[in-house]
Amino acid sequence: MTDFNFIQMADPQVGMYARFAGMDSETIADFQKHGMNVKPAPKMNSNSMEPERKNLTTALDEFDKIDPAFVVVCGDMVNEFDNEYQKKLIRETLGEYGKTTPVHWVAGNHDIGVNNLIPDRDSVSAYRDEFGADYYEFSHGESKFIILNSVLLDRPQNIPDEHKLQMDFLGDTLRSRESKDAEHVVAFMHHPLFLDNANEEDVDFSWAPSPGNQPTGYWTVPLERRTPVVKLLREANVQTVFAGHWHRNHLASDNGLDVVVTSALGYPLGDDPSGYRVVSLSEGKLTHQFRAI
Ligand SMILES: [Fe+2]
């Protein structure tokens, strides 16, 4: 049995602090009405990424002491995918760190969705050029790790063939001999699969309303495409799916399947601070702990 730690983080979302700075009180009140804890902040230069740079470098300094086996970044690496400055900061920080410790990227809606929502062939291709594959698997120790593109699960309408390929990949991977023999099979995606239970409808909970300018059910994978994923995960005895997107910590558990949502490494939208999660696989058990930065 191999014991090790890894880091799971989400939403470093470089550029979001500047985007959310300098708002008037009416706009802030509207965000707060939709459950997003936006705080008043003086206007910043739109290219200022100092808060994100500070969060990233603080986290990376701490990783040096933790010495994780690998890092998984659960999406929204940047706020605007066409902003070269934002991508450059990710390359200079997590990208550099990845030269010595594997860094696994997960596609977020801000990385791969047109208008931060719906992926198409070009947006998927641009993402793959920058970050590599958007769904794949890897092994470490005796465990199997699966990276999924939940933006595609959320809105596959422009590239249904890609959705089918990803579902085939998930089924094939989970049914493989390697997965069957694995000590743990752990999945990662950007969107939480669900926020309360696996059968929840695509409606907003009062405690998790969608942002005012976004469709209902913005925070999770829709039921229609969640159900086949949950079925495959259950058949393979997957117990933990890590996610981000909501920019706050949350645990949803349904009949042995845990969805672990981690606050943003970048701009937090709930009461939890910015931070990351340390996941330990020790003596056959998976445990995890959030660490604020
Ligand atoms: Fe995000």
Side-chain angles (χ1 to χ4, degrees):
M1 222 172 274
T2 315
D3 291 353
F4 60 93
N5 293 331
F6 68 87
I7 302 288
Q8 183 257 343
M9 67 157 83
D11 302 274
Q13 208 155 334
V14 175
M16 189 169 170
Y17 277 91
R19 157 78 180 76
F20 276 50
M23 285 177 174
D24 58 41
S25 53
E26 211 175 304
T27 310
I28 290 175
D30 190 58
F31 274 112
Q32 289 183 342
K33 197 172 88 189
H34 291 93
M36 298 164 80
N37 193 10
V38 174
K39 296 187 183 71
K43 193 167 173 51
M44 284 164 61
N45 180 315
S46 63
N47 280 334
S48 171
M49 300 169 292
E50 284 318 303
E52 288 93 343
R53 186 186 299 278
K54 186 164 165 280
N55 289 7
L56 282 158
T57 51
T58 301
L60 290 174
D61 283 349
E62 294 179 14
F63 296 173
D64 281 341
K65 289 173 215 119
I66 298 166
D67 193 23
F70 56 85
V71 176
V72 182
V73 188
C74 274
D76 283 0
M77 280 68 87
V78 292
N79 198 52
E80 284 117 21
F81 189 78
D82 58 0
N83 184 310
E84 286 306 318
Y85 296 102
Q86 295 176 7
K87 285 186 282 189
K88 185 164 175 278
L89 180 58
I90 288 291
R91 277 186 222 120
E92 286 172 355
T93 52
L94 285 162
E96 277 301 307
Y97 187 76
K99 290 179 180 170
T100 50
T101 301
V103 172
H104 296 280
W105 310 107
V106 180
N109 54 299
H110 282 260
D111 309 309
I112 206 167
V114 177
N115 296 327
N116 304 326
L117 200 62
I118 307 177
D120 67 11
R121 217 162 295 287
D122 288 345
S123 70
V124 169
S125 168
Y127 175 88
R128 288 174 181 166
D129 286 347
E130 181 71 30
F131 292 109
D134 49 321
Y135 52 88
Y136 65 101
E137 48 90 10
F138 62 96
S139 298
H140 192 91
E142 287 93 41
S143 293
K144 172 75 74 191
F145 301 90
I146 302 176
I147 305 282
L148 290 175
N149 177 354
S150 65
V151 191
L152 193 51
L153 290 174
D154 186 34
R155 291 173 190 273
Q157 57 262 47
N158 289 336
I159 37 174
D161 54 325
E162 286 286 351
H163 173 59
K164 185 181 180 312
L165 284 171
Q166 175 167 246
M167 292 305 293
D168 289 348
F169 152 80
L170 182 62
D172 291 348
T173 303
L174 290 173
R175 290 187 198 108
S176 70
R177 172 51 49 199
E178 249 187 81
S179 291
K180 287 194 164 79
D181 290 346
E183 192 170 280
H184 294 275
V185 180
V186 182
F188 303 88
M189 60 182 76
H190 180 62
H191 294 70
L193 256 183
F194 50 86
L195 281 177
D196 183 72
N197 68 84
N199 299 314
E200 72 195 29
E201 299 287 341
D202 304 329
V203 293
D204 287 347
F205 296 105
S206 58
W207 43 270
S210 296
N213 58 345
Q214 296 291 351
T216 302
Y218 176 77
W219 296 119
T220 55
V221 173
L223 182 63
E224 180 189 351
R225 284 175 297 281
R226 179 196 316 141
T227 302
V229 173
V230 168
K231 185 169 181 285
L232 288 172
L233 295 175
R234 286 204 192 283
E235 281 168 8
N237 196 29
V238 175
Q239 290 163 10
T240 317
V241 182
F242 289 98
H245 188 48
W246 202 27
H247 292 234
R248 68 202 83 191
N249 288 321
H250 183 69
L251 174 64
S253 198
D254 184 332
N255 201 13
L257 181 63
D258 287 352
V259 173
V260 181
V261 184
T262 298
S263 183
L265 185 77
Y267 195 100
L269 288 172
D271 294 331
D272 303 302
S274 305
Y276 57 87
R277 198 173 290 277
V278 181
V279 186
S280 301
L281 280 92
S282 177
E283 296 178 356
K285 274 192 66 167
L286 183 150
T287 54
H288 52 85
Q289 189 181 36
F290 179 74
R291 289 199 193 172
I293 50 168

